[in-house]
Amino acid sequence: MPVVNVAPDELRALTGHEEKDDDELRSDLFDLGLEFEGWTEDDEMQLEFAPDRLDRLSVEGIARSLRYHYGDDRGVYIPNANDADWTIEVRDQPPERPYVTGAIVRGLDMSDDALESLIQVQEKLHATMGRQRAKGAIGVHDLTMLKGAPATDEGRANKSITYTSVAPDEDSFVPLDADAEMTPADVLDDHPTGEKYADLVRSLDRYPAIYDAIGMFSFPPVINGRRTEVDEGSRDLLIEMTGTDQWTIDHMCNIVCYALSARGGQVERVDVDYGADTDSEYAGQTLSRPDFSVRSKTVTHDRIESIIGVDMTAEAVVDCAERAGLDAERDGDAYEVEIPPYRVDVLHPLDVIDDIGRAYGFNELEPKYPDVSTVGGRHERSRLEDAARDTLVGLGFEDLLNFHMINEAENFTRCNLDPDQTDADGPVGAAEPVTILEPYSEDYTMLRTWALPSLLMVLENNTHRAYPQHLAEIGLAAHVDDSENTGVAEHRTVAGVLARTDASYEDAKARLQAIADAFDTDLATPATQHPTFIDGRAAEVVLDGESVGVVGEIHPKVLVEHDLELPVAAFELRLDGLA
């Protein structure tokens, strides 16, 4: 989940509520769905929130939400944007990264806090919407250091820069944190930032580049040039974004513009001129950016009351919508609700109802029994799961609950499994994963196929804790299965790890034997091979004649990958094997 560091004094200043103490702020933030995770060494709050509200990736966005929560602001706010004085001309850009957008923001007071917040929102957007710059990358430049070339077409803005492409060794510039000119190829080979993001462009025949009248000043998505570096003396900024999807970079641009507008900046449009022969569906078109147009959703009054569970007047619905930063106008039995440009998460009328309910106050809702003729009871699977969990705790394991979503590297590569050799009949965990088509974060791109990687990640994050560490989890695992109606086979899995100086196969098997005895099942452990475990120290888990898992000692390669410096024994089996 995204975590943003926020200085409480700055939050008080941006909201205009200096009287709020830290505890009151934490309570108000919790009402918005932002959870306090602790304090940094610089006495900043660490706030965690759902990754859908990307407009809250900055202190300015959080302050805006609080002002709506307090009732200081209402309805959709659109920053005033001056007419374009600059054009971004798109000519011969790389077809693999064809899109660009941008904006000018003038009159900023770039204090240390403002600059730190800008860097943070840039990094967080890169990690979420931008998919670590692969889908969208942000460049922020000091406008006074740019020299605009005359626009090539009459009627365009007065000055222009060009988004184009260059051969790896065709041109050179001085990148950030460097003192000498480097070609793009040199940057990828010899610059720390270039090495980090080299995989994004190295396979291209020609690399993305942005030029002004002086020369190349940006090498997106890798690094900006030193000439246009932003510091505390910068007042006017150029924001440019390149990527593989116009909608994504346009909305990333909106979020940055709103944050800078909250700092007193004056937004100014730029014209994005796609040449007639550019490799894009916008060829021959000129786009005015940033795009502050609003979207609308229609939601009925009955559905609002049904979902939230309370009777509401039309006036109350409109009031709650406006206090959520939306605009609502009643049209008969429905409402036309306008969505502000920075809200990328509102995709369905239910999202609107969620905002209205949050503004109403979920804590104000009175619990009541549903009006149904049946009474729920515990499912047998749930009884089995609780019994297995009690058994694990009784054996000394600490019960965990991890995310069911993971990424390919954690699920396969770091556990020594080949992600290209997925077979449901192969080793435990080596099944074809259920992937997310448009994930918000590269950390969560698929459903896990087994639970052991999640436990190893917990061990990796707790190397500073005392040993022994005995951890267990009962949770969901899934893989692609065409024989299922949904195309996905799900099952509950039981996994455990023993991390201590003398952890061995015998220890893990002993725990496994105790579990089998508790459920009156016969356990057999024939030798097997599994890439995650040491050869000769791994076995199948066979319960009542059916193979349901694996047990053994974790391979040294996997331990090193997770920065673990002591042995780990582990097991994993299907929960239904205990039934």
Side-chain angles (χ1 to χ4, degrees), residues 265-335:
Q266 173 60 52
V267 179
E268 178 179 300
R269 300 185 185 279
V270 300
D271 289 336
V272 180
D273 175 22
Y274 283 96
D277 57 351
T278 56
D279 190 356
S280 162
E281 68 266 33
Y282 300 105
Q285 300 181 39
T286 298
L287 310 180
S288 180
R289 292 296 184 263
D291 181 7
F292 285 157
S293 59
V294 298
R295 297 172 291 122
S296 65
K297 298 290 181 184
T298 301
V299 58
T300 64
H301 189 89
D302 288 345
R303 195 172 192 194
I304 294 172
E305 291 186 333
S306 174
I307 296 296
I308 299 178
V310 297
D311 296 329
M312 300 181 69
T313 65
E315 292 75 16
V317 171
V318 172
D319 176 68
C320 287
E322 290 180 349
R323 287 194 292 111
L326 313 173
D327 279 337
E329 182 176 345
R330 187 164 189 179
D331 182 11
D333 293 331
Y335 301 87

Coordinates of all heavy atoms in Angstrom, one line a residue, residues 265-335:
G265 N 0.8 28.2 -7.3 CA 1.3 28.3 -8.6 C 0.1 28.6 -9.6 O -1.0 28.2 -9.4
Q266 N 0.5 29.3 -10.7 CA -0.5 29.6 -11.7 C -0.3 28.7 -12.9 O 0.8 28.7 -13.5 CB -0.3 31.1 -12.2 CG -1.2 31.4 -13.4 CD -2.7 31.2 -13.2 OE1 -3.2 31.8 -12.2 NE2 -3.3 30.5 -14.0
V267 N -1.3 27.8 -13.1 CA -1.2 26.8 -14.2 C -1.3 27.5 -15.6 O -2.1 28.4 -15.7 CB -2.2 25.7 -14.1 CG1 -2.1 24.7 -15.2 CG2 -2.1 25.0 -12.7
E268 N -0.5 27.1 -16.5 CA -0.5 27.6 -17.9 C -0.5 26.4 -18.8 O 0.2 25.5 -18.7 CB 0.7 28.5 -18.1 CG 0.8 29.1 -19.5 CD 2.0 30.0 -19.7 OE1 2.1 31.0 -19.0 OE2 2.9 29.6 -20.5
R269 N -1.4 26.5 -19.8 CA -1.5 25.4 -20.7 C -0.3 25.3 -21.7 O 0.4 26.3 -21.9 CB -2.8 25.5 -21.5 CG -4.1 25.5 -20.7 CD -5.3 25.5 -21.6 NE -6.5 25.6 -20.8 CZ -7.1 24.6 -20.1 NH1 -6.6 23.4 -20.2 NH2 -8.2 24.8 -19.4
V270 N -0.1 24.1 -22.2 CA 0.8 24.0 -23.4 C 0.0 23.3 -24.5 O -0.9 22.5 -24.2 CB 2.0 23.1 -23.0 CG1 2.8 23.8 -21.9 CG2 1.7 21.7 -22.6
D271 N 0.4 23.5 -25.7 CA -0.1 22.8 -26.9 C 0.8 21.6 -27.2 O 2.0 21.8 -27.3 CB -0.2 23.7 -28.1 CG -1.3 24.8 -27.9 OD1 -2.3 24.6 -27.2 OD2 -1.2 25.9 -28.6
V272 N 0.2 20.5 -27.3 CA 0.9 19.3 -27.7 C 0.6 19.0 -29.2 O -0.5 18.6 -29.5 CB 0.6 18.0 -26.8 CG1 1.3 16.8 -27.3 CG2 0.8 18.3 -25.4
D273 N 1.6 19.3 -30.0 CA 1.3 19.2 -31.5 C 1.9 17.9 -32.0 O 3.1 17.7 -32.2 CB 2.0 20.4 -32.2 CG 2.0 20.4 -33.7 OD1 1.1 19.7 -34.2 OD2 2.8 21.0 -34.3
Y274 N 1.0 17.0 -32.3 CA 1.4 15.7 -32.9 C 1.5 15.9 -34.4 O 0.5 16.2 -35.1 CB 0.4 14.6 -32.6 CG 0.5 14.0 -31.2 CD1 -0.3 14.5 -30.2 CD2 1.4 13.0 -30.9 CE1 -0.2 14.0 -28.9 CE2 1.5 12.5 -29.6 CZ 0.7 13.0 -28.6 OH 0.8 12.5 -27.3
G275 N 2.7 15.7 -35.0 CA 2.9 15.9 -36.4 C 2.0 14.9 -37.2 O 1.7 13.9 -36.7
A276 N 1.8 15.3 -38.4 CA 0.9 14.5 -39.3 C 1.5 13.1 -39.5 O 0.7 12.2 -39.8 CB 0.7 15.2 -40.6
D277 N 2.8 12.9 -39.5 CA 3.4 11.6 -39.7 C 3.8 10.9 -38.5 O 4.6 10.0 -38.5 CB 4.5 11.8 -40.7 CG 5.6 12.7 -40.2 OD1 5.4 13.4 -39.2 OD2 6.7 12.8 -40.8
T278 N 3.4 11.4 -37.3 CA 3.8 10.7 -36.0 C 3.1 9.4 -35.9 O 1.9 9.2 -36.4 CB 3.5 11.6 -34.8 OG1 2.1 12.0 -34.8 CG2 4.3 12.9 -34.9
D279 N 3.7 8.5 -35.1 CA 3.1 7.2 -34.9 C 2.2 7.2 -33.7 O 2.5 6.8 -32.6 CB 4.3 6.2 -34.7 CG 3.8 4.7 -34.7 OD1 2.6 4.5 -34.8 OD2 4.6 3.8 -34.5
S280 N 1.0 7.7 -33.9 CA 0.0 7.9 -32.8 C -1.4 8.1 -33.4 O -1.5 8.6 -34.5 CB 0.4 9.1 -32.0 OG -0.7 9.6 -31.2
E281 N -2.4 7.8 -32.7 CA -3.8 8.0 -33.2 C -4.1 9.5 -33.2 O -5.1 9.9 -33.7 CB -4.8 7.3 -32.3 CG -4.9 7.8 -30.9 CD -4.1 7.0 -29.9 OE1 -3.0 6.5 -30.3 OE2 -4.5 6.8 -28.8
Y282 N -3.2 10.3 -32.5 CA -3.4 11.8 -32.5 C -2.6 12.5 -33.6 O -2.5 13.7 -33.6 CB -3.0 12.4 -31.2 CG -3.7 11.8 -30.0 CD1 -3.1 10.9 -29.1 CD2 -5.0 12.2 -29.8 CE1 -3.8 10.3 -28.1 CE2 -5.7 11.7 -28.7 CZ -5.1 10.7 -27.8 OH -5.8 10.2 -26.8
A283 N -2.1 11.7 -34.6 CA -1.3 12.3 -35.7 C -2.1 13.4 -36.4 O -3.3 13.2 -36.7 CB -1.0 11.2 -36.7
G284 N -1.5 14.6 -36.5 CA -2.1 15.7 -37.2 C -3.0 16.5 -36.2 O -3.6 17.5 -36.7
Q285 N -3.1 16.2 -34.9 CA -3.9 16.9 -34.0 C -3.1 17.7 -33.0 O -1.9 17.4 -32.8 CB -4.8 15.9 -33.2 CG -5.7 15.1 -34.0 CD -6.6 14.2 -33.2 OE1 -7.1 14.5 -32.1 NE2 -6.8 12.9 -33.7
T286 N -3.7 18.7 -32.5 CA -3.0 19.5 -31.4 C -3.9 19.4 -30.2 O -5.1 19.7 -30.2 CB -2.8 20.9 -31.8 OG1 -2.0 21.0 -32.9 CG2 -2.2 21.7 -30.6
L287 N -3.3 18.9 -29.1 CA -4.0 18.8 -27.8 C -3.7 19.9 -26.9 O -2.5 20.3 -26.7 CB -3.7 17.4 -27.1 CG -3.8 16.2 -28.0 CD1 -3.4 14.9 -27.2 CD2 -5.2 16.0 -28.6
S288 N -4.7 20.5 -26.2 CA -4.4 21.5 -25.2 C -4.3 20.8 -23.8 O -5.3 20.2 -23.4 CB -5.5 22.5 -25.2 OG -5.3 23.5 -24.2
R289 N -3.2 21.0 -23.1 CA -3.0 20.3 -21.9 C -2.5 21.3 -20.8 O -1.9 22.3 -21.2 CB -1.9 19.2 -22.0 CG -2.5 18.0 -22.9 CD -3.6 17.3 -22.2 NE -4.1 16.1 -22.9 CZ -5.2 16.1 -23.7 NH1 -5.8 17.2 -24.0 NH2 -5.5 15.0 -24.3
P290 N -2.8 21.1 -19.5 CA -3.5 19.9 -19.0 C -4.9 19.9 -19.3 O -5.6 20.9 -19.5 CB -3.2 20.1 -17.5 CG -3.1 21.6 -17.3 CD -2.4 22.1 -18.5
D291 N -5.5 18.7 -19.3 CA -6.9 18.5 -19.6 C -7.7 18.5 -18.3 O -7.7 17.5 -17.5 CB -7.0 17.1 -20.3 CG -8.5 16.8 -20.7 OD1 -9.3 17.7 -20.5 OD2 -8.8 15.7 -21.1
F292 N -8.3 19.6 -18.0 CA -9.1 19.8 -16.7 C -10.6 19.5 -17.0 O -11.4 20.0 -16.2 CB -8.9 21.1 -16.1 CG -7.5 21.3 -15.5 CD1 -7.0 22.6 -15.3 CD2 -6.8 20.2 -15.0 CE1 -5.7 22.8 -14.7 CE2 -5.6 20.4 -14.4 CZ -5.0 21.7 -14.2
S293 N -10.9 18.8 -18.0 CA -12.3 18.5 -18.2 C -12.9 17.6 -17.2 O -12.1 16.7 -16.6 CB -12.5 17.9 -19.6 OG -11.8 16.7 -19.8
V294 N -14.1 17.7 -16.8 CA -14.8 16.9 -15.8 C -15.5 15.8 -16.5 O -16.0 15.9 -17.6 CB -15.7 17.7 -14.9 CG1 -14.9 18.8 -14.1 CG2 -16.8 18.3 -15.7
R295 N -15.7 14.6 -15.7 CA -16.5 13.5 -16.2 C -17.7 13.5 -15.3 O -17.8 14.1 -14.3 CB -15.7 12.2 -16.0 CG -14.5 12.1 -16.9 CD -13.7 10.9 -16.5 NE -13.1 10.9 -15.2 CZ -13.3 10.1 -14.2 NH1 -14.1 9.1 -14.4 NH2 -12.7 10.2 -13.1
S296 N -18.7 12.8 -15.8 CA -20.0 12.7 -15.0 C -20.4 11.2 -14.9 O -20.2 10.4 -15.8 CB -21.1 13.5 -15.6 OG -21.4 13.0 -16.9
K297 N -21.1 10.9 -13.8 CA -21.7 9.6 -13.6 C -23.1 9.8 -13.1 O -23.5 10.8 -12.5 CB -21.0 8.8 -12.5 CG -19.5 8.5 -12.8 CD -19.4 7.5 -13.9 CE -17.9 7.1 -14.2 NZ -17.8 6.2 -15.3
T298 N -24.0 8.9 -13.6 CA -25.4 9.0 -13.2 C -25.7 7.9 -12.1 O -25.3 6.8 -12.3 CB -26.3 8.8 -14.4 OG1 -26.1 9.8 -15.4 CG2 -27.8 8.9 -14.0
V299 N -26.3 8.4 -11.0 CA -26.6 7.4 -9.9 C -28.0 7.8 -9.4 O -28.4 8.9 -9.3 CB -25.6 7.5 -8.8 CG1 -25.5 8.9 -8.2 CG2 -25.9 6.5 -7.7
T300 N -28.8 6.7 -9.2 CA -30.2 6.9 -8.7 C -30.3 7.1 -7.2 O -29.4 6.6 -6.5 CB -31.1 5.8 -9.1 OG1 -30.7 4.6 -8.5 CG2 -31.0 5.6 -10.7
H301 N -31.3 7.8 -6.8 CA -31.5 8.0 -5.3 C -31.8 6.7 -4.6 O -31.2 6.5 -3.5 CB -32.7 9.0 -5.1 CG -32.8 9.5 -3.7 ND1 -32.2 10.6 -3.2 CD2 -33.5 8.9 -2.7 CE1 -32.5 10.7 -1.9 NE2 -33.3 9.8 -1.6
D302 N -32.6 5.9 -5.2 CA -32.9 4.6 -4.6 C -31.6 3.8 -4.3 O -31.5 3.1 -3.3 CB -33.9 3.8 -5.4 CG -35.3 4.4 -5.4 OD1 -35.5 5.2 -4.5 OD2 -36.1 4.0 -6.2
R303 N -30.7 3.8 -5.3 CA -29.5 3.0 -5.2 C -28.6 3.5 -4.1 O -27.9 2.8 -3.4 CB -28.8 2.9 -6.5 CG -27.7 1.8 -6.5 CD -27.1 1.6 -7.9 NE -26.3 0.3 -7.9 CZ -25.5 0.0 -8.8 NH1 -25.3 0.8 -9.9 NH2 -24.8 -1.1 -8.8
I304 N -28.5 4.8 -4.0 CA -27.7 5.5 -2.9 C -28.2 5.0 -1.5 O -27.5 4.6 -0.7 CB -27.8 7.0 -3.0 CG1 -27.1 7.5 -4.3 CG2 -27.1 7.6 -1.8 CD1 -27.2 8.9 -4.6
E305 N -29.6 5.1 -1.3 CA -30.1 4.7 -0.1 C -30.0 3.2 0.2 O -29.7 2.7 1.3 CB -31.6 5.0 0.0 CG -31.9 6.5 0.0 CD -33.3 6.9 0.2 OE1 -34.2 6.0 -0.2 OE2 -33.7 7.9 0.8
S306 N -30.1 2.4 -0.9 CA -30.0 0.9 -0.7 C -28.6 0.5 -0.4 O -28.4 -0.3 0.5 CB -30.4 0.2 -2.1 OG -30.1 -1.1 -2.0
I307 N -27.6 1.1 -1.0 CA -26.2 0.7 -0.7 C -25.7 1.3 0.7 O -25.1 0.5 1.4 CB -25.2 1.3 -1.8 CG1 -25.6 0.6 -3.2 CG2 -23.8 1.0 -1.5 CD1 -25.4 -0.9 -3.2
I308 N -26.0 2.5 1.0 CA -25.6 3.1 2.2 C -26.4 2.6 3.4 O -25.9 2.4 4.5 CB -25.6 4.6 2.2 CG1 -24.6 5.1 1.1 CG2 -25.2 5.2 3.5 CD1 -24.6 6.6 0.9
G309 N -27.7 2.3 3.1 CA -28.6 1.7 4.1 C -29.3 2.7 5.0 O -29.7 2.4 6.1
V310 N -29.4 4.0 4.6 CA -30.1 5.0 5.3 C -31.0 5.8 4.4 O -30.8 5.8 3.2 CB -29.1 6.0 6.0 CG1 -28.3 5.3 7.0 CG2 -28.3 6.7 5.0
D311 N -32.1 6.4 4.9 CA -32.9 7.3 4.2 C -32.3 8.6 4.1 O -31.9 9.2 5.2 CB -34.3 7.3 4.8 CG -35.0 6.0 4.8 OD1 -34.8 5.2 3.9 OD2 -35.8 5.7 5.8
M312 N -32.2 9.2 2.9 CA -31.5 10.5 2.7 C -32.4 11.4 1.9 O -33.0 10.9 0.9 CB -30.2 10.3 2.1 CG -29.2 9.5 2.8 SD -27.6 9.3 2.0 CE -26.9 11.0 2.2
T313 N -32.5 12.6 2.3 CA -33.2 13.6 1.4 C -32.3 14.0 0.2 O -31.1 13.7 0.2 CB -33.5 14.9 2.2 OG1 -32.3 15.5 2.6 CG2 -34.3 14.6 3.4
A314 N -32.9 14.6 -0.8 CA -32.1 15.0 -2.0 C -31.1 16.0 -1.5 O -29.9 16.0 -2.1 CB -33.0 15.5 -3.0
E315 N -31.4 16.9 -0.6 CA -30.5 17.9 -0.2 C -29.3 17.3 0.5 O -28.2 17.8 0.4 CB -31.2 18.9 0.8 CG -32.3 19.8 0.1 CD -33.6 19.0 -0.2 OE1 -33.7 17.9 0.4 OE2 -34.4 19.6 -1.0
A316 N -29.6 16.2 1.3 CA -28.5 15.6 2.0 C -27.5 14.9 1.0 O -26.3 14.9 1.2 CB -29.0 14.6 3.0
V317 N -28.0 14.3 0.0 CA -27.2 13.7 -1.0 C -26.3 14.7 -1.7 O -25.1 14.5 -1.9 CB -28.1 12.9 -2.1 CG1 -27.2 12.5 -3.2 CG2 -28.8 11.7 -1.5
V318 N -26.9 15.8 -2.1 CA -26.1 16.9 -2.8 C -25.1 17.4 -1.8 O -23.9 17.7 -2.2 CB -27.0 18.0 -3.3 CG1 -26.2 19.2 -3.8 CG2 -28.0 17.5 -4.4
D319 N -25.4 17.6 -0.6 CA -24.5 18.1 0.4 C -23.3 17.2 0.6 O -22.1 17.6 0.6 CB -25.2 18.3 1.8 CG -24.3 18.8 2.9 OD1 -23.7 19.9 2.8 OD2 -24.0 17.9 3.8
C320 N -23.6 15.9 0.7 CA -22.5 14.9 0.9 C -21.6 14.8 -0.3 O -20.4 14.7 -0.2 CB -23.1 13.5 1.2 SG -23.8 13.3 2.9
A321 N -22.2 14.9 -1.5 CA -21.4 14.9 -2.7 C -20.5 16.1 -2.8 O -19.3 15.9 -3.1 CB -22.3 14.9 -4.0
E322 N -21.0 17.2 -2.4 CA -20.1 18.4 -2.5 C -19.0 18.4 -1.4 O -17.9 18.9 -1.7 CB -21.0 19.7 -2.3 CG -21.9 20.0 -3.5 CD -22.8 21.2 -3.3 OE1 -22.8 21.7 -2.1 OE2 -23.4 21.7 -4.2
R323 N -19.3 17.8 -0.3 CA -18.3 17.7 0.8 C -17.3 16.6 0.4 O -16.3 16.5 1.1 CB -19.0 17.4 2.1 CG -19.6 18.6 2.7 CD -20.0 18.5 4.2 NE -21.0 17.5 4.4 CZ -20.8 16.4 5.0 NH1 -19.6 16.0 5.4 NH2 -21.8 15.5 5.2
A324 N -17.6 15.8 -0.6 CA -16.6 14.8 -1.1 C -15.8 15.3 -2.3 O -15.1 14.6 -2.9 CB -17.4 13.5 -1.5
G325 N -16.0 16.6 -2.6 CA -15.3 17.2 -3.7 C -16.0 16.9 -5.1 O -15.3 17.1 -6.1
L326 N -17.2 16.6 -5.1 CA -18.0 16.3 -6.3 C -19.1 17.4 -6.5 O -19.4 18.1 -5.5 CB -18.6 14.9 -6.3 CG -17.8 13.7 -5.8 CD1 -18.6 12.5 -5.7 CD2 -16.6 13.5 -6.8
D327 N -19.7 17.4 -7.6 CA -20.8 18.3 -7.9 C -22.0 17.3 -8.2 O -21.8 16.4 -9.1 CB -20.6 19.3 -9.0 CG -19.9 20.5 -8.5 OD1 -19.9 20.8 -7.3 OD2 -19.2 21.2 -9.3
A328 N -23.2 17.5 -7.6 CA -24.3 16.7 -7.9 C -25.5 17.6 -8.2 O -25.8 18.5 -7.5 CB -24.6 15.8 -6.8
E329 N -26.2 17.2 -9.3 CA -27.5 17.9 -9.6 C -28.6 16.9 -9.8 O -28.4 15.9 -10.6 CB -27.3 18.8 -10.9 CG -28.5 19.5 -11.3 CD -28.2 20.4 -12.5 OE1 -27.0 20.6 -12.9 OE2 -29.2 20.9 -13.2
R330 N -29.7 17.1 -9.1 CA -30.8 16.1 -9.2 C -31.5 16.3 -10.5 O -31.8 17.4 -11.0 CB -31.7 16.3 -8.0 CG -32.8 15.2 -8.0 CD -33.5 15.1 -6.7 NE -34.3 13.9 -6.7 CZ -35.0 13.5 -5.6 NH1 -35.0 14.3 -4.5 NH2 -35.8 12.4 -5.7
D331 N -31.8 15.1 -11.1 CA -32.6 15.1 -12.4 C -33.6 14.0 -12.2 O -33.4 12.8 -12.5 CB -31.7 14.8 -13.6 CG -32.4 14.8 -14.9 OD1 -33.6 15.2 -14.9 OD2 -31.8 14.3 -15.9
G332 N -34.8 14.3 -11.7 CA -35.8 13.4 -11.4 C -35.4 12.5 -10.2 O -35.1 13.0 -9.1
D333 N -35.4 11.2 -10.4 CA -35.0 10.2 -9.4 C -33.5 9.9 -9.4 O -33.1 9.0 -8.7 CB -35.8 8.9 -9.5 CG -37.3 9.1 -9.3 OD1 -37.6 10.0 -8.5 OD2 -38.1 8.4 -9.8
A334 N -32.7 10.6 -10.2 CA -31.3 10.4 -10.3 C -30.5 11.7 -10.1 O -31.1 12.8 -10.0 CB -31.0 9.7 -11.6
Y335 N -29.2 11.5 -10.0 CA -28.3 12.6 -9.9 C -27.2 12.5 -11.0 O -26.7 11.5 -11.2 CB -27.6 12.6 -8.5 CG -28.6 12.7 -7.4 CD1 -29.1 11.5 -6.8 CD2 -28.9 13.9 -6.8 CE1 -30.0 11.5 -5.8 CE2 -29.8 14.0 -5.7 CZ -30.3 12.8 -5.2 OH -31.2 12.8 -4.2

